C-alpha cells in the first residue's frame, strides 16, 4: 500500500521535474498561442491576441461594389462587421456553408473583420522550436499572408498575418 | 511652470468656455458699433463688463498676462466712455481691440492645447505699448475736442474724497466669505457691479485693483464703499451687493438722511475730507474712523439707519422672491453626454422594433399588446424628437463669426462689402454646426477674394452698387438644410477655369463636351485655384476641395452656381439629422433596402402598356403625362431575384433635388425609423457611397438593411 503510494509520488515528482526542465529551456518557452482552423485539409493559424471571437455564420447582407471575396456585412451585437471568405481570398473555390463553417472575428487597430473558415480546430501553444522561418519565395501569392510556419508533431501549420490580410493595399494582388 | 494653480484645473474648462463666449460677444459688439460708427453708452458698458469679467477670471486662474491685457484695454475704453464721440472714425481703436481679442483667442487655445508643464505665458508687451499709445492718443483727442469737459471732470474728482458727505449717498461695509481668496479682486468686481447702478464716491481700501496687499485689510476690516444710486435709489445697489458672489455679509454704516443736514456737496472741503483720504493706505484706521463718524453724523442718524436697515430687510425679501421665482433656465451640458444619450435612444428604437416585430408574435391576435406597443412607439418617437431638439443649435453663432472675416478682409483687400445674414435662426445638429465652421469660412473668404471685384469702377460699369454683398442664408427643405454662400461679384470665368484645368491636367474628356455647370464645378477639384497669386487668404489651391470633403464628411453636398458678371453661389445641402431617418423598407431578392421616406414621392404598380422604351432600350414609364426613367435595383446592385417582370414588382417614384426616377423593387415591406450606421472602416476603401448606398442599419430581427442614398444613386 505505502510502497504503491511512494511509487506514485515518485512518478509525479519526475513528471514535474521534466516539466520544469522543459520550462528552463528557452527553446520551449511558450511565446504565443495560436487558434488553428481548416481550409480543405490545410491547417492555418491566427495568433490569439488578434482574435476577438468565433461565431456561427449569421445571415450575411451582400454589399455591392466590393471584391467578390468580401461576402458582405453581418451584425455582431449591434456592431456592423464585414466578412471575408478566406477560401476565395486565397483563390480557392467556395464551398457551401455547413454546420462546421464558422466566422472568426479578428481585429487589428480599430478595424474588425470576420473570416469565414471551413472549421476551427484548436488553440495550441507555440514555442520557439516550432517556428521555422517563412521562405522568401517572392511571386508566390499565398505566401504574403503568412507570418510564420509551425512544424508540429501533427503536421505543418501556417500562421496568418492578420494585418496584411486586412490591409488591402499591402496585399494587393500582383498585377 | 504649471499652467494653473493646483485645485484650479477643474475651473479651467469653464474659464476657457466662458472667456471664449465673452470674446465672441465682444467681437459682435465691435462689429456692430464699427458699422454704426458710434459707441452707445450701453455698448461701452457691455464692453466694460466683458473686459472686467475676463480680467477677473484671468486673475483668478493666475493668467497674469491676460489679466493685464484686459486691464490695458479697459484703460482705453475708460477714455472712450468719458466721451464716446472721440471714438468716431478712430479705426485704430477697433484694430487694436480686434487684435486684443485675437491674442486672447490664440492664448486660450494655447492654454487649452499645451500640457500642464510646457505652458509659458505669451509676452504681450508690444500690444500693451500699442494700447497705451492709443489711450494717450485718445486722451489727446479728448483734450483737443473738449477741454471744458476735462475741466469739469477735475473738480468732480477732487470732490470725491469728500464722498461721505454727498447728498443721498450711502456707505456700506462688505465682508467676504472666509477663505474665498483674492478679496481685493472680489472687492473690485463688486465695485464694478455697483458702478453699473450707482456712482461710487469712494472706497477703502482705494487701490484694490492693483494692490494685492489690500486683500488682508479687506479680510480684517471689510471693504468700505460709499456710493450714490443713479436714480437716487440705493436699495437696488444693496440688492446687488447682497446678490454678489462670495459676499458673506454687509452693513450699512452711514446714511446721511436729510439733504438739509448736509454741507454743500462739492464746495465745502469739510474736515471729513481728510478722513477717508483714499491716497493713504492706512486702511485699518480708516474704517474705524468712518465708524466713529457714523454716530456723530448730522441730524437724525438713528432713524435713518433703521430706515436703511428695514430697506435692507425688504431688499433681502425681494431677492428671495426673485430667486425663487426665476431659477436659471439654461444649463450647459458636456456634448459627450448628449452623444451617449443619443446613442442609447438609437439602441432603444432598434430594440423596440425587435420586440414589436418579434418573429415569435407572428400570426397572433394580440389586441392589448398592440395597443401598448403603439403607446410605446409614440413615446419613443417623442423621446427621439426631444433628444434631437436638444442637440439642435441655431446657425447664428457660426454665421456671426463670418462677420469678422468679412470685416478683416474688407480692410486688407481694400474692398467695400457687407455681409447679409438670412435665416440664421435655422437649427441644425450640433455636430454639423461644428463641421460647418471651416467650410463656411473658406467660402466666405473665397467670395471676398475671388468674387467681389478688385476695382470698384468695374462694379459701377456693370451697374452694380459700389458696395459688394456677401450673403449667407440658411433654410430647411425636406429633411435637409440648405446653406447658401453667395456674392454679387464677378462670377466664375469659364474660360479661365478651363485654361487652368488644362494647365493642371484636370480634364478627363474632350473640352467641347464640358457643360457650363461641369466647368463651374471643376473649381471644387483638388489642386485648383484661379487666383493668379497666392494671397494671405486664398490661392493656395487647397481651399475648395477641402471645403467639399469637409461637407461630405457630415453627409452633405456642395454645388456651385454662377453667372459671369452677376456673381456666384455655393450651395451646401446637409441632412437635418445624421443618425435617425424615417425609412421605407424594400425587398430585392434576399436583401432589404431602406429608402429615406423624405425622398419618396409615391409608390405604384404598373401595367406593361404604360411602359416606354427609348432607343438604348432604357425603360421609362408615363405617369400623369410625365415620363420617368426606371432604375431596376436588382440590376443596379447586381442582386439575384426572381421578380424581374415590372408588373410583378413595385415602382417607387423618388425625387431628389428636382431629379425624378422610378426605382423597381420586388415588394414594399413597411415603414420604420432606422438608426443609420456607417459602413465598417474596412469597406471604406471601396467606393460604396458612389454606388448609391449611404450606410446600413440593424433591423428588428437583427439582420442588416442597406440604406439607399437616392441622390448618389441617380447621379
Amino acid at each position: 500500500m505505502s510502497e504503491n503510494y511512494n511509487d506514485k509520488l515518485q512518478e509525479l515528482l519526475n513528471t514535474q521535474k521534466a516539466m520544469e526542465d522543459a520550462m528552463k529551456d528557452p527553446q520551449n518557452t511558450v511565446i504565443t498561442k495560436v487558434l488553428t482552423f481548416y481550409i480543405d485539409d490545410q491547417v492555418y493559424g491566427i495568433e490569439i491576441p488578434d482574435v476577438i471571437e468565433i461565431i456561427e455564420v449569421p445571415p450575411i447582407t451582400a454589399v455591392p461594389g466590393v471584391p467578390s471575396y468580401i461576402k458582405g456585412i453581418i451584425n455582431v451585437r449591434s456592431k456592423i462587421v464585414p466578412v471575408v471568405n478566406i477560401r476565395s481570398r486565397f483563390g480557392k473555390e467556395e464551398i457551401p456553408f455547413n454546420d462546421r463553417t464558422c466566422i472568426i472575428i479578428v481585429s487589428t487597430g480599430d478595424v474588425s473583420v470576420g473570416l469565414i473558415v471551413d472549421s476551427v480546430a484548436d488553440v495550441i501553444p507555440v514555442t520557439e522550436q516550432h517556428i521555422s522561418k517563412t521562405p522568401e519565395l517572392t511571386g508566390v501569392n499565398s505566401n504574403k499572408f503568412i507570418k510564420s510556419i509551425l512544424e508540429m508533431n501533427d503536421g505543418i501549420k501556417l500562421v496568418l498575418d492578420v494585418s496584411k490580410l486586412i490591409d488591402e493595399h499591402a496585399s494587393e494582388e500582383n498585377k | 511652470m504649471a499652467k494653473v494653480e493646483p485645485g484650479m484645473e477643474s475651473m479651467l474648462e469653464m474659464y476657457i468656455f466662458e472667456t471664449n463666449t465673452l470674446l465672441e460677444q465682444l467681437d459682435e459688439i465691435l462689429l456692430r458699433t464699427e458699422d454704426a460708427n458710434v459707441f452707445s453708452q450701453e455698448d461701452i458698458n457691455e464692453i466694460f463688463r466683458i473686459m472686467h469679467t475676463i480680467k477677473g477670471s484671468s486673475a483668478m486662474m493666475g493668467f497674469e498676462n491676460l489679466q493685464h491685457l484686459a486691464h490695458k484695454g479697459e484703460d482705453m475704453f475708460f477714455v472712450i466712455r468719458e466721451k464716446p464721440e472721440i471714438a468716431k472714425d478712430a479705426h485704430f481703436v477697433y484694430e487694436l481691440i480686434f487684435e486684443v481679442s485675437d491674442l486672447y483667442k490664440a492664448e486660450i487655445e494655447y492654454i487649452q492645447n499645451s500640457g500642464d508643464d510646457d505652458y509659458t505665458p505669451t509676452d504681450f508687451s508690444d500690444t500693451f505699448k500699442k494700447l497705451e499709445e492709443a489711450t494717450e492718443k485718445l486722451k489727446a483727442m479728448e483734450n483737443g475736442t473738449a477741454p471744458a469737459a476735462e475741466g469739469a471732470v477735475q473738480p468732480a474728482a477732487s470732490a470725491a474724497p469728500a464722498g461721505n458727505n454727498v447728498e443721498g449717498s450711502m456707505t456700506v461695509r462688505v465682508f467676504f466669505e472666509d477663505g474665498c481668496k483674492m478679496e481685493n479682486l472680489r472687492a473690485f468686481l463688486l465695485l464694478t457691479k455697483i458702478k453699473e447702478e450707482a456712482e461710487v464716491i469712494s472706497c477703502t481700501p482705494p487701490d484694490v485693483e492693483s494692490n494685492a496687499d489690500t486683500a488682508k485689510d479687506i479680510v480684517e476690516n471689510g471693504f468700505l464703499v460709499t456710493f450714490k444710486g443713479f436714480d437716487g435709489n440705493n436699495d437696488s445697489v444693496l440688492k446687488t451687493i447682497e446678490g454678489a458672489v462670495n459676499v458673506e455679509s454687509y452693513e450699512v454704516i452711514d446714511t446721511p438722511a436729510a439733504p438739509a443736514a448736509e454741507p454743500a456737496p462739492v464746495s465745502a472741503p469739510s474736515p471729513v475730507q481728510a478722513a477717508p483720504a483714499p491716497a493713504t493706505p492706512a486702511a485699518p484706521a480708516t474704517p474705524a474712523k468712518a465708524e466713529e463718524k457714523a454716530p456723530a453724523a448730522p441730524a437724525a442718524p438713528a432713524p435713518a439707519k433703521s430706515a436703511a436697515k428695514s430697506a435692507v430687510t425688504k431688499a433681502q425679501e425681494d431677492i428671495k422672491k426673485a430667486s425663487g421665482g426665476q431659477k436659471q433656465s439654461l444649463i450647459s451640458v458636456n456634448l459627450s453626454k448628449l452623444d451617449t444619450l443619443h446613442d442609447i435612444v438609437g439602441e432603444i428604437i432598434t430594440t423596440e422594433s425587435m420586440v414589436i416585430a418579434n418573429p415569435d408574435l407572428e400570426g397572433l391576435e394580440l389586441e392589448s399588446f398592440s395597443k401598448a406597443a403603439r403607446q410605446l412607439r409614440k413615446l419613443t418617437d417623442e423621446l427621439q424628437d426631444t433628444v434631437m431638439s436638444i442637440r439642435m443649435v441655431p446657425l447664428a453663432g457660426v454665421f456671426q463669426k463670418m462677420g469678422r472675416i468679412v470685416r478683416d478682409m474688407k480692410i486688407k483687400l481694400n474692398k467695400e462689402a457687407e455681409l447679409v445674414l438670412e435665416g440664421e435662426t435655422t437649427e441644425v445638429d450640433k455636430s454639423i454646426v461644428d463641421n460647418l465652421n471651416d467650410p463656411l469660412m473658406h467660402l466666405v473668404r473665397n467670395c471676398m477674394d475671388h468674387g467681389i471685384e478688385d476695382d470698384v469702377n468695374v462694379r459701377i460699369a456693370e451697374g452694380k452698387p459700389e458696395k459688394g454683398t456677401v450673403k449667407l442664408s440658411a433654410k430647411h427643405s425636406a429633411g435637409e438644410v440648405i446653406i447658401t454662400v453667395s456674392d454679387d461679384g464677378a462670377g466664375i470665368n469659364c474660360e479661365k477655369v478651363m485654361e487652368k484645368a488644362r494647365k493642371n491636367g484636370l480634364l478627363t474628356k474632350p473640352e467641347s463636351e464640358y457643360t457650363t455647370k461641369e466647368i463651374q464645378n471643376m473649381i471644387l477639384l483638388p489642386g485648383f485655384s484661379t487666383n493668379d497669386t497666392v494671397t494671405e487668404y486664398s490661392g493656395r489651391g487647397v481651399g475648395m476641395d477641402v471645403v467639399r470633403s469637409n461637407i461630405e464628411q457630415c453627409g452633405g453636398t456642395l454645388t456651385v452656381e454662377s453667372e459671369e458678371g452677376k456673381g456666384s453661389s455655393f450651395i451646401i445641402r446637409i441632412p437635418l439629422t445624421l443618425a435617425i431617418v424615417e425609412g421605407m423598407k424594400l425587398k430585392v431578392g434576399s436583401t432589404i433596402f431602406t429608402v429615406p421616406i423624405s425622398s419618396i414621392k409615391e409608390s405604384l404598380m404598373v401595367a406593361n402598356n404604360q411602359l416606354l422604351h427609348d432607343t438604348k432600350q432604357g425603360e421609362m414609364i408615363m405617369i400623369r403625362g410625365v415620363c420617368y426613367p426606371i432604375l431596376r435595383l436588382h440590376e443596379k446592385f447586381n442582386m439575384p431575384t426572381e421578380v424581374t417582370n415590372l408588373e410583378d414588382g413595385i415602382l417607387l417614384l423618388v425625387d431628389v433635388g428636382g431629379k425624378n426616377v422610378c426605382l423597381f423593387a420586388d415588394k414594399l415591406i413597411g415603414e420604420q425609423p432606422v438608426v443609420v450606421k456607417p459602413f465598417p472602416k474596412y469597406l471604406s476603401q471601396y467606393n460604396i457611397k458612389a454606388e448609391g448606398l449611404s450606410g446600413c442599419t440593424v433591423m428588428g430581427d437583427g439582420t442588416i438593411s442597406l440604406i439607399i442614398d437616392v441622390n448618389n444613386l441617380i447621379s
Side-chain angles (χ1 to χ4, degrees):
Chain A
M1 169 80 187
S2 75
E3 232 169 68
N4 204 351
Y5 176 79
N6 276 340
D7 279 355
K8 264 238 163 100
L9 192 67
Q10 194 57 48
E11 201 181 306
L12 272 169
L13 283 171
N14 284 344
T15 345
Q16 199 182 345
K17 196 160 177 286
M19 277 174 76
E20 269 169 13
D21 284 348
M23 291 291 279
K24 274 176 202 155
D25 185 355
Q27 285 273 298
N28 285 332
T29 318
V30 175
I31 310 166
T32 180
K33 286 184 173 179
V34 166
L35 171 73
T36 55
F37 59 88
Y38 286 96
I39 300 288
D40 287 339
D41 293 328
Q42 176 60 53
V43 181
Y44 292 91
I46 295 173
E47 287 184 14
I48 284 289
D50 293 334
V51 178
I52 306 293
E53 61 185 319
I54 304 163
I55 55 169
E56 283 177 35
V57 183
I60 299 175
T61 307
V63 176
V66 294
S68 62
Y69 57 81
I70 298 180
K71 299 325 286 177
I73 46 183
I74 55 169
N75 169 23
V76 186
R77 287 187 305 280
S78 291
K79 261 187 83 179
I80 312 282
V81 178
V83 284
V84 169
N85 193 331
I86 288 282
R87 292 189 74 91
S88 40
R89 188 73 186 96
F90 291 172
K92 293 185 177 182
E93 209 169 299
E94 286 182 31
I95 54 164
F97 297 157
N98 55 40
D99 38 338
R100 304 213 359 119
T101 314
C102 56
I103 295 180
I104 303 172
I105 312 265
V106 295
S107 109
T108 52
D110 50 356
V111 178
S112 301
V113 173
L115 307 174
I116 303 175
V117 300
D118 288 2
S119 65
V120 285
D122 205 354
V123 176
I124 51 166
V126 174
T127 61
E128 192 76 53
Q129 64 172 10
H130 291 136
I131 299 175
S132 64
K133 287 279 169 288
T134 318
E136 298 287 333
L137 295 173
T138 44
V140 179
N141 270 343
S142 61
N143 205 30
K144 63 182 174 241
F145 301 127
I146 310 291
K147 197 178 196 176
S148 57
I149 295 173
L150 306 179
E151 287 171 6
M152 305 292 243
N153 296 336
D154 54 348
I156 289 175
K157 298 172 169 64
L158 306 172
V159 178
L160 300 179
D161 188 329
V162 171
S163 56
K164 277 190 187 157
L165 203 62
I166 288 179
D167 186 6
E168 181 62 15
H169 301 292
S171 59
E172 196 77 55
E173 303 283 318
N174 301 330
K175 279 170 192 163
Chain B
M1 178 196 141
K3 237 185 341 189
V4 289
E5 282 175 47
M8 283 294 206
E9 292 94 345
S10 57
M11 301 278 288
L12 188 62
E13 200 180 337
M14 199 62 214
Y15 166 74
I16 289 168
F17 172 77
E18 192 187 85
T19 312
N20 276 330
T21 318
L22 287 169
L23 288 172
E24 269 168 36
Q25 273 176 26
L26 181 67
D27 275 9
E28 207 188 309
I29 295 171
L30 288 171
L31 284 173
R32 201 178 57 225
T33 49
E34 190 180 22
D35 269 357
N37 207 358
V38 67
F39 279 111
S40 73
Q41 199 61 45
E42 226 169 88
D43 290 333
I44 292 179
N45 285 341
E46 186 67 16
I47 292 171
F48 255 94
R49 193 185 64 78
I50 292 171
M51 290 267 183
H52 270 309
T53 318
I54 294 178
K55 182 159 107 179
S57 50
S58 299
M60 206 166 328
M61 297 302 294
F63 299 127
E64 267 177 44
N65 52 343
L66 291 177
Q67 178 198 352
H68 285 134
L69 195 58
H71 182 73
K72 294 274 191 262
E74 244 179 11
D75 280 352
M76 185 164 84
F77 271 94
F78 188 76
V79 183
I80 297 174
R81 180 160 68 172
E82 293 299 315
K83 202 157 169 49
E85 303 92 85
I86 56 165
K88 198 177 176 183
D89 295 322
H91 286 295
F92 66 94
V93 173
Y94 293 99
E95 283 305 324
L96 216 52
I97 294 295
F98 276 127
E99 189 185 324
V100 169
S101 159
D102 284 345
L103 283 174
Y104 259 111
K105 283 177 199 156
E107 184 75 0
I108 282 169
E109 207 180 312
Y110 175 45
I111 291 170
Q112 206 169 4
N113 296 334
S114 64
D116 210 24
D117 293 321
D118 55 2
Y119 171 74
T120 40
T122 314
D123 183 20
F124 292 133
S125 40
D126 283 356
T127 319
F128 288 166
K129 220 194 230 153
K130 275 198 222 163
L131 279 167
E132 273 160 23
E133 276 166 18
T135 313
E136 286 307 313
K137 204 166 157 190
L138 280 170
K139 267 190 190 148
M141 282 165 78
E142 191 186 10
N143 288 339
T145 51
E150 184 68 17
V153 171
Q154 281 309 298
S158 65
N164 283 12
N165 287 26
V166 172
E167 181 184 332
S169 69
M170 183 185 256
T171 304
V172 168
R173 184 197 303 275
V174 181
F175 285 98
F176 293 98
E177 283 165 14
D178 283 347
C180 68
K181 296 215 181 109
M182 281 170 278
E183 284 79 5
N184 58 322
L185 281 171
R186 295 186 199 282
F188 176 71
L189 288 176
L190 178 67
L191 208 55
T192 318
K193 274 220 167 125
I194 295 174
K195 273 180 189 162
E196 283 171 17
E197 294 186 49
E199 181 190 343
V200 172
I201 295 154
S202 71
C203 61
T204 314
D207 49 353
V208 281
E209 188 185 351
S210 45
N211 188 353
D213 299 338
T214 53
K216 215 172 141 223
D217 294 341
I218 295 172
V219 174
E220 283 167 16
N221 303 307
F223 176 60
L224 211 63
V225 56
T226 307
F227 55 83
K228 181 186 167 206
F230 285 140
D231 47 1
N233 181 6
N234 288 341
D235 291 352
S236 64
V237 185
L238 287 175
K239 222 184 274 181
T240 309
I241 298 175
E242 167 92 26
V245 188
N246 291 318
V247 170
E248 169 92 21
S249 65
Y250 68 99
E251 53 177 337
V252 181
I253 52 173
D254 182 16
T255 315
E262 292 287 324
V266 182
S267 59
S270 68
V272 197
Q273 194 180 20
T280 53
T286 319
K289 267 188 199 163
E291 221 166 359
E292 274 167 35
K293 205 160 58 266
K305 216 170 171 181
S306 67
K309 275 270 160 68
S310 75
V312 174
T313 341
K314 194 167 167 278
Q316 279 168 341
E317 273 168 14
D318 281 354
I319 288 163
K320 263 183 211 150
K321 239 186 268 168
S323 61
Q326 36 171 241
K327 285 253 165 62
Q328 212 178 9
S329 63
L330 287 175
I331 55 163
S332 27
V333 181
N334 194 330
L335 193 61
S336 69
K337 284 187 186 170
L338 282 187
D339 287 342
T340 318
L341 180 64
H342 191 254
D343 289 349
I344 292 174
V345 171
E347 293 298 315
I348 287 179
I349 288 169
T350 313
T351 320
E352 184 207 355
S353 309
M354 259 182 224
V355 174
I356 293 173
N358 199 301
D360 291 358
L361 302 171
E362 222 162 283
L364 296 178
E365 291 279 334
L366 302 163
E367 196 182 321
S368 131
F369 176 83
S370 21
K371 205 170 157 195
R374 273 199 303 275
Q375 187 76 16
L376 179 64
R377 164 62 54 88
K378 208 176 136 223
L379 285 172
T380 46
D381 276 357
E382 219 166 287
L383 179 65
Q384 186 202 330
D385 284 351
T386 315
V387 171
M388 297 310 295
S389 73
I390 291 174
R391 295 173 52 92
M392 294 296 225
V393 288
L395 282 165
V398 187
F399 275 20
Q400 268 151 13
K401 275 188 205 155
M402 302 305 141
R404 177 70 198 282
I405 290 161
V406 170
R407 180 207 168 264
D408 284 358
M409 290 193 69
K410 202 159 73 180
I411 293 166
K412 287 261 164 63
L413 300 171
N414 200 15
K415 290 179 182 180
E416 270 307 305
E418 63 173 337
L419 180 72
V420 177
L421 301 182
E422 210 171 72
E424 67 264 41
T425 52
T426 310
E427 291 189 329
V428 289
D429 195 275
K430 168 83 178 139
S431 57
I432 296 179
V433 170
D434 294 345
N435 280 326
L436 271 179
N437 205 7
D438 286 355
L440 280 181
M441 201 164 76
H442 266 294
L443 289 175
V444 169
R445 281 180 172 176
N446 260 302
C447 284
M448 284 298 290
D449 200 5
H450 302 251
I452 307 286
E453 294 88 342
D454 293 327
D455 189 356
V456 181
N457 293 327
V458 177
R459 290 187 64 89
I460 296 169
E462 296 246 1
K464 288 190 268 197
E466 277 179 45
K467 207 175 194 183
T469 308
V470 177
K471 196 165 117 186
L472 264 176
S473 72
K475 64 175 181 196
H476 281 301
S477 163
E480 289 184 314
V481 177
I482 301 175
I483 299 167
T484 316
V485 182
S486 53
D487 63 66
D488 64 346
I492 295 168
N493 185 331
C494 288
E495 276 166 35
K496 246 181 159 177
V497 172
M498 218 40 190
E499 197 183 308
K500 186 92 181 182
R502 212 178 297 137
K503 220 162 69 188
N504 293 3
L506 297 169
L507 297 179
T508 52
K509 56 181 179 179
E511 275 177 42
S512 53
E513 280 181 26
Y514 278 95
T515 64
T516 315
K517 206 157 186 177
E518 276 175 316
I519 296 171
Q520 285 168 355
N521 279 289
M522 271 203 286
I523 65 165
L524 306 180
L525 292 173
F528 195 94
S529 174
T530 55
N531 216 15
D532 301 327
T533 48
V534 173
T535 67
E536 186 187 340
Y537 296 111
S538 46
R540 292 185 189 85
V542 287
M544 292 307 272
D545 65 303
V546 173
V547 171
R548 195 177 63 166
S549 63
N550 266 357
I551 289 169
E552 278 171 4
Q553 242 168 44
C554 48
T557 57
L558 175 67
T559 47
V560 187
E561 273 174 24
S562 176
E563 198 174 330
E564 222 179 316
K566 293 261 173 68
S568 32
S569 309
F570 296 88
I571 300 149
I572 304 169
R573 290 164 181 273
I574 287 183
L576 199 54
T577 59
L578 287 176
I580 303 178
V581 295
E582 198 65 37
M584 176 69 81
K585 292 187 286 181
L586 311 173
K587 196 170 152 75
V588 179
S590 57
T591 312
I592 311 283
F593 287 98
T594 302
V595 181
I597 293 233
S598 57
S599 54
I600 300 176
K601 274 177 104 174
E602 62 179 301
S603 57
L604 55 149
M605 306 280 282
V606 282
N608 269 338
N609 58 14
Q610 283 174 284
L611 295 175
L612 302 163
H613 290 272
D614 68 10
T615 49
K616 286 178 185 164
Q617 287 304 301
E619 290 164 312
M620 290 186 295
I621 184 171
M622 186 76 100
I623 306 168
R624 290 184 294 277
V626 185
C627 223
Y628 300 103
I630 293 174
L631 184 74
R632 286 167 177 257
L633 287 178
H634 65 97
E635 281 178 4
K636 167 78 186 169
F637 293 126
N638 200 16
M639 305 265 176
T641 175
E642 287 160 4
V643 187
T644 51
N645 186 351
L646 287 177
E647 277 184 324
D648 299 337
I650 189 142
L651 286 177
L652 212 61
L653 179 58
V654 291
D655 171 8
V656 170
K659 286 182 286 187
N660 293 293
V661 74
C662 278
L663 304 180
F664 175 66
D666 296 4
K667 66 173 184 182
L668 291 185
I669 295 176
E671 274 180 48
Q672 193 186 319
V674 294
V675 182
V676 182
K677 295 193 180 222
F679 284 113
K681 247 192 176 161
Y682 179 60
L683 299 179
S684 60
Q685 53 194 316
Y686 312 105
N687 209 346
I688 300 173
K689 290 233 159 112
E691 294 275 337
L693 296 175
S694 57
C696 49
T697 182
V698 178
M699 288 183 303
D701 58 358
T703 54
I704 297 170
S705 164
L706 302 172
I707 299 169
I708 292 179
D709 174 4
V710 181
N711 207 3
N712 271 333
L713 191 73
I714 297 176
S715 59

